[in-house]
Amino acid sequence: MKKTVLAFSRITPEMIERLQQDFEVIVPNPRQGDINAQFNEALPHAHGLIGVGRKLGRAQLDGAGKLEVVSSVSVGYDNYDVDYFNERGIMLTNTPDVLTESTADLAFALLMSSARRVAELDAWTKAGQWKASVGAPLFGCDVHGKTLGIVGLGNIGAAIARRGRLGFNMPIIYSGNSRKTALEQELGAQLRSLDQLLAEADFVCLVVPLSEKTRHLISHRELGLMKSSAILVNISRGPVVDEPALIEALQTQRIRGAGLDVYEREPLAESPLFQLSNAVTLPHIGSATHETREAMANRALDNLRSALLGQRPQDLVNPQVWKG
Ligand code: DGY
């Protein structure tokens, strides 16, 4: 008998067809009523889940007695209670690598947009405000040659650092748990403590995963260490930054600006950030290109197939549960 897969988001009809070759596939459909109710109804039958954007832990998965694997269409896995997965022997997989370059592109788009006031001046031009040559109050700041501080020099951090170093001649400094000697040689990157990095960088780019250690890594004290001319870019997870503290730093111009793709609560609604011309706010689109989302979905699908067909998945987050 075929195993059952519950595909709850980011999976295209073509991918559903591919899954149907090996599995019974349930896809909650908004036209057939409440999505959450359909999800919960299907859960006890599911051997595998594939999708993204749901918190999954004890409370949600208690009734999922047959569950063997959750294949997340994301690199981040902070939505999942990994300890609980381990306790139950449920495999968790993610989609690293395939989104590295697109996410680094977006970090740079935010950095450039904040520095050169792209979003702000686009809105200004379209509002018919361009009556004469733009003067100093609307000038931005240079990017090339400025110091780029990367907090978390993993794969995505390294891709951002390469753009900065090779494309914009930026000195690279980084902070993190371990020394990256290869990148130090390749890019001349230099290790700093977080406090030193904050004090020295013209652009601070956050690329750390969310964990209890990184929650509110950047709060009042840390923002207070940054140069008043500096720009903060966050493409990691919203809770890495204490958002009210950041809003205050932007309102008082304690720092020059921020480029944000992620927030403490998503979707972002009714935020004081909307009133701030020195904040660029994007709707969590780090990996949102056609090519990358397709590659992520395919990778997630391969992980799910392997897990349910008895092969070790390529991107197993919790290898300790592998029984192969
Ligand atoms: C990820 O893959 O973790 C991105 O944030 C997209 O959800």
Side-chain angles (χ1 to χ4, degrees):
M1 217 172 74
K2 282 180 172 178
K3 290 184 175 174
T4 298
V5 168
L6 171 54
F8 61 93
S9 65
R10 276 198 200 166
I11 299 297
T12 61
E14 297 73 47
M15 288 169 189
I16 302 285
E17 265 177 41
R18 235 182 96 197
L19 277 173
Q20 280 167 337
Q21 292 166 11
D22 297 299
F23 309 109
E24 292 297 334
V25 185
I26 303 174
V27 188
N29 182 343
R31 278 176 303 215
Q32 284 163 12
D34 182 51
I35 284 277
N36 290 327
Q38 292 176 54
F39 179 89
N40 289 330
E41 200 176 306
L43 213 44
H45 310 287
H47 298 88
L49 301 184
I50 183 165
V52 69
R54 278 183 177 271
K55 275 212 165 309
L56 295 176
R58 190 179 302 276
Q60 296 76 19
L61 297 179
D62 199 31
K66 297 182 177 164
L67 194 60
E68 296 172 33
V69 59
V70 173
S71 175
S72 188
V73 193
S74 68
V75 67
Y77 49 87
D78 46 283
N79 259 342
Y80 310 102
D81 180 346
V82 182
D83 289 340
Y84 174 72
F85 279 49
N86 292 344
E87 188 186 311
R88 288 267 315 267
I90 298 169
M91 289 176 267
L92 175 64
T93 65
N94 68 342
T95 60
D97 310 330
V98 287
L99 46 58
T100 300
E101 300 298 331
S102 309
T103 309
D105 286 346
L106 189 86
F108 236 85
L110 279 169
L111 189 155
M112 297 286 291
S113 184
S114 301
R116 299 304 304 270
R117 304 172 70 167
V118 173
E120 179 191 354
L121 293 178
D122 170 64
W124 182 86
T125 306
K126 288 174 180 161
Q129 305 255 40
W130 187 17
K131 313 275 192 227
S133 178
V134 163
L138 291 179
F139 288 175
C141 67
D142 277 340
V143 171
H144 62 271
K146 296 284 183 67
T147 299
L148 176 56
I150 312 268
V151 181
L153 198 60
N155 289 344
I156 297 174
I160 298 167
R162 273 189 200 100
R163 281 158 179 72
R165 182 71 210 145
L166 306 176
F168 294 82
N169 196 26
M170 300 170 90
I172 308 296
I173 55 179
Y174 71 98
S175 69
N177 293 332
S178 59
R179 186 149 202 172
K180 309 284 180 177
T181 35
L183 287 167
E184 289 185 6
Q185 274 162 22
E186 180 191 338
L187 303 172
Q190 293 182 16
L191 181 64
R192 298 281 188 273
S193 70
L194 177 61
D195 284 5
Q196 284 168 338
L197 180 146
L198 292 169
E200 214 177 303
D202 298 301
F203 296 92
V204 174
C205 199
L206 305 175
V207 209
V208 283
L210 176 64
S211 67
E212 279 325 301
K213 234 178 108 193
T214 60
R215 188 175 295 276
H216 285 193
L217 184 71
I218 304 297
S219 188
H220 292 282
R221 189 188 76 81
E222 291 73 22
L223 290 161
L225 294 173
M226 287 174 67
K227 293 181 182 175
S228 58
S229 56
I231 285 171
L232 181 75
V233 172
N234 189 9
I235 56 146
S236 61
R237 285 292 184 264
V240 170
V241 176
D242 176 350
E243 208 163 279
L246 174 62
I247 289 168
E248 194 187 312
L250 292 169
Q251 282 167 339
T252 57
Q253 288 169 20
R254 173 64 205 76
I255 62 170
R256 183 193 294 271
L260 306 172
D261 188 40
V262 289
Y263 309 89
E264 292 213 70
R265 267 169 175 261
E266 296 179 8
L268 183 65
E270 301 289 323
S271 170
L273 289 166
F274 295 164
Q275 269 70 59
L276 290 172
S277 59
N278 56 350
V280 178
T281 50
L282 293 182
H284 199 150
I285 54 165
S287 61
T289 67
H290 294 290
E291 300 89 334
T292 295
R293 283 292 167 83
E294 189 177 337
M296 290 167 74
N298 275 319
R299 182 98 167 218
L301 202 136
D302 289 343
N303 283 325
L304 179 92
R305 278 190 85 251
S306 300
L308 291 182
L309 299 177
Q311 290 143 20
R312 186 186 161 116
Q314 182 181 5
D315 307 303
L316 191 53
V317 169
N318 53 348
Q320 57 273 52
V321 304
W322 174 244
K323 299 185 189 89

